[in-house]
């Protein structure tokens, strides 16, 4: 269950599931929107996660994504790419969230998997 903010909408939950010198897995749940995107960016850019060259972002439980959320994901991909790293996304279960990836063709830009188990560590 996700916590809700004062407007009743589902806030973004961010969990750093795993991190080592090479690989980080960060799970997001709720809404990746303009209100919540800066917090996600702080985690991706923070010292714990940014040290890993390969980042997997688990969007399984993300219910909604807007342009600000996409921008954070694109920046994470660009930043890792500049240092020879990579970003992989785990597809959201939400049809609404996945529709945004298809309409913007982000599903073609990013490596997208169905689960973290598919990722080679």
């Amino acid at each position: 269950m996700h916590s809700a903010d004062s407007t009743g909408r589902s806030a973004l939950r961010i969990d750093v599931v795993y991190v080592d010198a090479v690989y980080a897995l960060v799970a997001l749940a709720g809404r990746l929107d303009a209100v919540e995107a800066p917090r996600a960016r702080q985690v991706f850019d923070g010292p714990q996660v940014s040290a890993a060259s390969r980042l997997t972002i688990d969007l399984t439980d993300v219910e909604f994504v807007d342009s600000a959320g996409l921008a954070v994901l694109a920046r994470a991909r660009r930043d890792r790419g500049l240092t020879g790293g990579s970003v992989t996304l785990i597809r959201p279960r939400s049809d609404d969230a996945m529709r945004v990836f298809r309409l913007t063709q982000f599903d073609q830009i990013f490596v997208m998997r169905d689960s973290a188990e598919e990722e080679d560590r």
Side-chain angles (χ1 to χ4, degrees):
M1 174 143 181
H2 307 296
S3 60
D5 67 11
S6 61
T7 64
R9 47 178 220 108
S10 181
L12 184 67
R13 190 179 77 234
I14 304 171
D15 297 312
V16 177
V17 177
Y18 179 86
V19 66
D20 64 23
V22 177
Y23 179 79
L25 173 61
V26 178
L28 306 181
R31 295 175 62 92
L32 181 54
D33 59 15
V35 172
E36 301 290 350
R39 283 195 320 118
R41 189 169 88 197
Q42 285 179 332
V43 171
F44 301 152
D45 292 349
Q48 181 183 20
V49 173
S50 66
S53 61
R54 293 176 36 231
L55 172 62
T56 296
I57 304 170
D58 186 345
L59 303 173
T60 301
D61 294 324
V62 167
E63 302 156 359
F64 176 82
V65 181
D66 70 5
S67 60
L70 292 176
V72 168
L73 298 174
R75 179 177 169 173
R77 181 178 177 271
R78 183 204 68 200
D79 291 350
R80 288 292 185 307
L82 291 173
T83 59
S86 64
V87 172
T88 300
L89 303 180
I90 307 301
R91 286 182 186 85
R93 277 190 302 242
S94 163
D95 290 336
D96 289 338
M98 197 57 218
R99 186 175 303 115
V100 171
F101 284 95
R102 285 192 301 270
L103 289 172
T104 59
Q105 297 186 336
F106 269 57
D107 64 333
Q108 303 300 311
I109 296 169
F110 280 91
V111 172
M112 295 189 85
R113 303 194 186 283
D114 291 324
S115 70
E117 286 76 37
E118 294 180 43
E119 180 73 11
D120 297 325
R121 288 191 192 168

